[in-house]
Amino acid sequence: MKKKGKYIVAVVGATGAVGKEMISVLEERCFPVKQLIPLASSRTAGNTITFNDKSIVVKELKDDSFEGVDLALFSAGGSISLEYAPKAVKAGTVVIDNSSAFRMDDEVPLVVPEVNPEAIFTHKGIIANPNCSTIQMVVVLKPIHDQAKIKRVVVSTYQAVSGTGKEAMEELFQQTQMILNFQKDEIKPKVYPHVIAFNCLPHIDVFLENDYTKEEMKMVKETKKIMDDPSIRLTATTVRVPVFIGHSEAVNVETETKLTADKCRQLLKKAPGVVVIDDPANNKYPLATEIVGKDPTFVGRIREDESIDCGLNLWIVADNLRKGAALNAVQIAEILVGHKVMKAVIDVEYK
Ligand code: NAP
Ligand code: 3JM
């Protein structure tokens, strides 16, 4: 990508849960934006968004939306990415795509800046942002893998409804109100196949032939690609829980060499983008309610797995709209253009 002082940046899906967060993160981190172009469907074209105290009209995504655009952050779903990302690349735009459409494409780098930033520069027009649950897990697994070589991972997720988008957040809100008003029998689930309020659904994305969900297999395949190690064995159970924002994960790791819980804590305290909150005596561990709007990946409950020789259990929590989506995408953009984030912002990020 040609270096410039400032860039014309399009956000595809600008009115969505992730798109809105992308616009906030670009603003907060003073990304060098010459012009911001918010794009969405005909449903919201004409609405306005605010960027750097300026009101900007949302435009409808069209074939010619990318003329003159340097960088496009896509977050409008896989089918929109499949249709429009190649058109953007043809127009000379570099695309950072949040959907699963291109993640496993050999020609497309799949990047978490704390893990494999070098992959960014191998792009041929599209760079993929991994799945939210994968991102927060690999940020923590990478230093453990470098130190003790990971053999196998068993992960169970507790994923917030904002991972599904704005409609799902509204659905949780309405169902919760209805149940508290004794109207449970009148609920008609729309976004999920079952009631999500006061429930846990072991079902994220579609079921595949092997009886795993696509979300579970994303975690398996994306982890191997980002960590550049197909030998890591991983199995996942992904669960949607009635939380608005913040994905939590119980992660069991088996390593080749022994890593004590203390050593692991020390290692993770120094790891980029990771904050350790691990003080069980004082009931301190990462909580979704506490990390909304924060940038790091939080880890706690670090303990040795007493059922095997070299194993650890961890509890990993992050804001799925930020590190799980918008922030990771903007961090990729920053590396791409060589933008140095102000120290004040990094201090907030790594506290
Ligand atoms: P959302 O809240 O439902 O927002 C969807 C956005 O896409 C809205 O801006 C919507 O515009 C736009 N859109 C939908 N159909 C469109 C069309 N035909 N043309 C143009 N724009 C269209 O969903 P979200 O949570 O922000 O997620 C959006 C996508 O991001 C997901 O489908 C997924 O692929 C990806 N995602 C990735 C991660 C990750 O882990 N990296 C996390 C969450 C989401 P309107 O407002 O006009 O309808
Ligand atoms: C479509 O929490 C979630 O449901 C995961 C986020 C998500 C994705 C994704 O990033 O994998 C929601 C909807 C996708 C997708 O496949 O692009």
Side-chain angles (χ1 to χ4, degrees):
M1 192 176 183
K2 224 172 126 204
K3 286 272 164 70
K4 295 182 178 177
K6 286 187 168 191
Y7 299 83
I8 300 181
V9 181
V11 174
V12 181
T15 54
V18 174
K20 280 184 186 162
E21 201 72 31
M22 281 172 165
I23 292 169
S24 307
V25 175
L26 286 168
E27 179 174 324
E28 265 170 41
R29 297 170 73 93
C30 303
F31 192 83
V33 178
K34 184 168 154 198
Q35 186 192 350
L36 183 83
I37 304 178
L39 299 166
S41 79
S42 56
R43 290 180 291 274
T44 54
N47 289 5
T48 54
I49 58 108
T50 307
F51 180 67
N52 285 340
D53 295 328
K54 272 199 217 121
S55 181
I56 306 177
V57 177
V58 176
K59 287 197 194 145
E60 184 179 349
L61 174 65
K62 293 212 173 114
D63 285 355
D64 63 357
S65 295
F66 301 97
E67 294 308 322
V69 171
D70 298 303
L71 184 68
L73 306 180
F74 270 66
S75 177
S79 56
I80 298 292
S81 295
L82 280 171
E83 186 178 347
Y84 287 92
K87 290 177 182 167
V89 173
K90 226 177 213 164
T93 307
V94 176
V95 170
I96 300 176
D97 182 39
N98 251 281
S99 81
S100 52
F102 302 103
R103 287 180 193 150
M104 296 316 298
D105 188 327
D106 285 340
E107 301 266 278
V108 174
L110 181 64
V111 178
V112 176
E114 290 83 349
V115 180
N116 62 339
E118 66 292 340
I120 291 172
F121 299 101
T122 66
H123 81 83
K124 297 189 168 75
I126 302 176
I127 301 165
N129 209 44
N131 170 266
C132 35
S133 296
T134 311
I135 293 176
Q136 66 183 70
M137 182 177 67
V138 297
V139 166
V140 174
L141 291 186
K142 170 71 173 164
I144 297 175
H145 191 49
D146 288 346
Q147 180 74 31
K149 191 157 185 2
I150 293 174
K151 280 165 70 176
R152 180 167 183 257
V153 178
V154 182
V155 54
S156 300
T157 70
Y158 305 74
Q159 296 181 219
V161 296
S162 53
T164 320
K166 55 187 178 182
E167 249 184 273
M169 297 173 83
E170 186 56 33
E171 182 144 312
L172 172 59
F173 185 77
Q174 280 178 1
Q175 290 181 356
T176 307
Q177 266 186 329
M178 287 177 83
I179 290 174
L180 293 175
N181 285 326
F182 305 102
Q183 295 169 308
K184 184 171 192 298
D185 294 340
E186 291 164 44
I187 293 177
K188 289 191 187 67
K190 275 198 299 220
V191 178
Y192 300 115
H194 303 280
V195 173
I196 180 65
F198 303 100
N199 213 355
C200 298
L201 311 180
H203 176 181
I204 299 185
D205 210 332
V206 294
F207 280 99
L208 302 173
E209 269 191 3
N210 65 359
D211 289 342
Y212 282 80
T213 62
K214 194 171 166 206
E215 185 81 351
E216 288 161 352
M217 295 316 294
K218 285 177 208 166
M219 292 191 79
V220 173
K221 293 178 188 164
E222 293 178 21
T223 300
K224 292 171 194 264
K225 179 166 173 178
I226 300 161
M227 307 262 283
D228 193 21
D229 190 344
S231 76
I232 298 173
R233 286 182 289 167
L234 191 143
T235 188
T237 304
T238 57
V239 182
R240 189 75 66 191
V241 296
V243 166
F244 283 98
I245 300 178
H247 286 2
S248 306
E249 300 177 339
V251 183
N252 177 268
V253 186
E254 186 177 359
T255 53
E256 218 156 86
T257 56
K258 176 87 182 164
L259 189 62
T260 64
D262 265 346
K263 258 271 179 72
C264 182
R265 241 173 253 120
Q266 294 318 314
L267 192 67
L268 293 176
K269 275 183 186 163
K270 289 185 293 183
V274 177
V275 169
V276 177
I277 304 179
D278 198 12
D279 182 8
N282 289 303
N283 300 338
K284 294 215 166 125
Y285 29 75
L287 292 171
T289 49
E290 303 298 308
I291 60 81
V292 175
K294 295 189 179 156
D295 287 346
T297 297
F298 297 86
V299 58
R301 301 295 322 279
I302 300 168
R303 62 215 189 274
E304 284 156 45
D305 175 351
E306 296 181 346
S307 71
I308 50 174
D309 290 336
C310 300
L312 290 160
N313 281 307
L314 314 152
W315 176 249
I316 301 173
V317 185
D319 182 328
N320 54 299
L321 296 178
R322 288 182 78 91
K323 186 58 190 166
L327 172 66
N328 199 72
V330 173
Q331 285 176 316
I332 292 171
E334 286 168 354
I335 295 172
L336 194 65
V337 306
H339 176 60
K340 295 263 183 303
V341 182
M342 277 160 40
K343 188 174 177 310
V345 177
I346 292 174
D347 282 349
V348 171
E349 184 175 334
Y350 295 125
K351 279 247 158 71

